[in-house]
Amino acid sequence: METTNVQKATKNIMVSFGTQVVLLVFKFIVQTLFIHKLGELYLGVNGLMTNLFTVFSFAELGLGTAISYNLYRPIAENDRPKIAAYMRFYKRAYEAIGLFVAVLGIGFMPFLHTVIKGDYVDGLYIIYVLFLMNTISSYIFTYKRTLLTAYQEEYKNQLNLFWFTVVQMSLQSVVLFIYQNFIFYLVIQVVCTFLSNFVISRVVDKEHPYLKDHIDERISKVEFGVIRRNVLELLGAKVGGVVLTSTDNIIISTFIGLAAVGQYANYLLITASITFVTNKTISSIIASIGNMSIKNSKDDNIKTFYQAYFLNYMASIIVSSCLMNLMTPFIRAWAGEAYVMGFWVLLFTVLNYLIGQMRQTISAFMFAYGALQFQGLKSIVEALINLTLSIILVTQTNLGVAGILMGTLITNVLINSWFEAYQMFRQGFKESVKKFLFYNWGHLLLATGIVLLVYRLTSYIELANPWLDLLATVVGTIILDVFFITLLHGRNQYFKSVKQMLVQRISRKKQKN
């Protein structure tokens, strides 16, 4: 990548990572108040509704990525009429999608009770309508965020979301603390979502006035055909992802109950928050990868891919180990013993996170290259296998929530551990994937082994003071992870390149100081 691309990618990463870490703290503050003021039943309702509307929003899935991919070349060539044409198409598509989601959401209302086992919740339909309004409002103006992403200015999106989310969570904390009212809590969410999108729309209009100068521009039939093909592939891919990650709460609510959803919500909050931070950081550089793929040689791009993969691999091990060792004591100290769900829920939650996180480098390159053929078919198969396994395991065994998570884990291993890599190498790099598949599976097994070994070794840490015990576990986990990674990969060329990069950054900081 050229210097300007590196600078843009670095700025996007720093802003995305920094804002998401701060928001993570806010999320835990709000969740703590939620637990103590509203309890596990409403926590379960919140988790269920969030998953329901993630599923209902499947119509949008893939459109933003497809449009962003098609914007790379006209932006590189400064073809403003073409950019305006794509954005006009995007606007019309989002208007149609918003209407579709509204109709789908209203149509499901009479059947809402079918996904809730046993529990009665006051104001359930008002809560449902507010979630529906929030989802629909997210489609108003938000399509313009894609243009900032394609221009490698994702940091502007992140700063906008950051400040409005801070305001939202601050007001929600006051409402929870004083009024203990879930309805008011959701009204604040709807208003802030709308205002965030309105403000970012005005920013884009100001910075890109040429969009109004070319309002009559249209994309060609050929370009529409490319978008349609990519959207269909991405739609299937995203639907599979939604089913894999966003239907667990629906299955738990249907077969076990809302209280179990409330218990699992804390595990989900922790892993989903960390995943969100890392995914936002990675997605912030997808435009730079797309730009790089056009300008650099294939060998350079493959080398960059392996370096990014290895860096992500090391980070995945450390984060997964910390989750495995610290999640249970953290939830016990934070939410209470009643919210601790046992070893198997912990293990399957962490392993699903580990596999999902190790896919992120592959996914980032796959989307940037537009290597999306057969993603739709793959994801439909993935979704059917996951739903079938999860329902069988929760109904035919005594595993409960762990059974549902085990179904997701099996699906991840059977399909996601190889298919996306196959697509990336075959369509993107146009190279044989055989070498990387063995490389990937080997590193996945090593990562799992390190996480379990470190978990076993740190279990011997027992101090009288629980906070000192927690601190010692954190330090011990990181030291052991670094030791085993260095022991196994110290001679690896990518380990050496990452180490060299870190040393250079530290030395540059010392020189500045």
Side-chain angles (χ1 to χ4, degrees), residues 65-303:
T65 304
I67 292 292
S68 182
Y69 172 72
N70 283 278
L71 283 171
Y72 295 152
R73 189 168 293 281
I75 286 174
E77 297 171 353
N78 198 30
D79 187 350
R80 292 185 171 184
K82 186 62 63 181
I83 295 169
Y86 276 117
M87 294 307 294
R88 183 184 184 279
F89 172 81
Y90 198 12
K91 177 184 179 181
R92 297 288 182 244
Y94 252 42
E95 289 172 350
I97 290 167
L99 179 61
F100 175 81
V101 172
V103 172
L104 183 63
I106 293 170
F108 185 76
M109 282 186 70
F111 306 98
L112 183 58
H113 66 281
T114 62
V115 294
I116 299 176
K117 183 179 180 180
D119 301 293
Y120 175 78
V121 180
D122 289 330
L124 179 64
Y125 288 94
I126 296 175
I127 293 169
Y128 180 86
V129 169
L130 286 170
F131 266 95
L132 178 59
M133 290 175 62
N134 187 67
T135 302
I136 295 171
S137 68
S138 69
Y139 292 113
I140 302 174
F141 306 123
T142 192
Y143 71 94
K144 292 182 181 178
R145 293 184 186 275
T146 301
L147 189 59
L148 294 176
T149 302
Y151 267 101
Q152 302 179 59
E153 295 177 338
E154 177 64 18
Y155 71 92
K156 294 180 181 179
N157 278 330
Q158 294 306 312
L159 288 173
N160 167 272
L161 292 170
F162 173 76
W163 289 115
F164 277 97
T165 306
V166 166
V167 171
Q168 173 187 315
M169 290 184 173
S170 299
L171 293 174
Q172 286 177 326
S173 297
V174 172
V175 165
L176 288 173
F177 189 77
I178 298 176
Y179 300 105
Q180 302 176 27
N181 190 299
F182 190 37
I183 303 295
F184 290 167
Y185 174 96
L186 293 176
V187 169
I188 292 169
Q189 182 173 296
V190 173
V191 172
C192 288
T193 298
F194 175 83
L195 290 176
S196 173
N197 289 332
F198 177 79
V199 170
I200 202 69
S201 176
R202 298 285 76 82
V203 169
V204 173
D205 288 343
K206 183 178 179 180
E207 295 183 356
H208 302 276
Y210 61 86
L211 293 176
K212 294 182 179 179
D213 296 334
H214 303 284
I215 57 175
D216 295 326
E217 292 291 333
R218 303 286 192 276
I219 62 173
S220 67
K221 290 184 178 180
V222 174
E223 290 162 343
F224 175 75
V226 172
I227 293 175
R228 182 177 60 183
R229 186 183 68 244
N230 286 342
V231 167
L232 288 174
E233 295 292 350
L234 279 164
L235 177 62
K238 297 291 186 177
V239 167
V242 165
V243 172
L244 197 65
T245 60
S246 299
T247 57
D248 286 347
N249 276 347
I250 299 173
I251 299 173
I252 293 170
S253 176
T254 303
F255 292 98
I256 302 175
L258 281 175
V261 178
Q263 288 178 308
Y264 179 59
N266 295 319
Y267 289 82
L268 190 61
L269 172 67
I270 294 169
T271 54
S273 297
I274 294 172
T275 301
F276 187 71
V277 171
T278 52
N279 286 1
K280 279 293 181 182
T281 303
I282 290 172
S283 65
S284 67
I285 62 170
I286 286 181
S288 298
I289 296 172
N291 189 283
M292 174 193 73
S293 67
I294 294 172
K295 296 181 178 181
N296 289 1
S297 69
K298 181 174 72 173
D299 289 342
D300 287 339
N301 290 341
I302 292 175
K303 181 180 178 181

Side-chain angles (χ1 to χ4, degrees), residues 358-487:
M358 285 188 62
R359 291 169 56 195
Q360 291 309 307
T361 303
I362 302 168
S363 296
F365 273 77
M366 185 180 70
F367 287 125
Y369 272 77
L372 305 171
Q373 190 179 3
F374 302 123
Q375 278 295 111
L377 178 61
K378 165 257 184 184
S379 297
I380 292 171
V381 173
E382 172 187 30
L384 290 173
I385 291 175
N386 180 59
L387 279 175
T388 302
L389 287 174
S390 293
I391 292 173
I392 289 174
L393 288 168
V394 75
T395 57
Q396 303 301 316
T397 70
N398 295 322
L399 289 170
V401 174
I404 296 170
L405 300 178
M406 186 178 179
T408 303
L409 177 63
I410 294 172
T411 306
N412 267 322
V413 172
L414 289 178
I415 297 177
N416 292 321
S417 64
W418 64 273
F419 188 86
E420 289 166 347
Y422 173 77
Q423 287 292 88
M424 181 61 239
F425 274 78
R426 188 175 69 91
Q427 290 186 308
F429 294 143
K430 302 188 186 313
E431 289 276 323
S432 171
V433 72
K434 185 176 180 180
K435 176 184 175 182
F436 177 75
L437 284 180
F438 285 105
Y439 183 87
N440 184 46
W441 286 329
H443 281 72
L444 183 58
L445 288 173
L446 283 173
T448 302
I450 291 172
V451 169
L452 292 176
L453 179 58
V454 171
Y455 175 75
R456 179 62 178 171
L457 292 174
T458 53
S459 67
Y460 292 107
I461 299 175
E462 293 183 6
L463 301 178
N465 186 301
W467 293 108
L468 285 177
D469 185 86
L470 195 64
L471 179 62
T473 302
V474 171
V475 174
T477 298
I478 295 174
I479 289 174
L480 287 170
D481 281 332
V482 172
F483 171 76
F484 286 121
I485 290 171
T486 305
L487 180 67

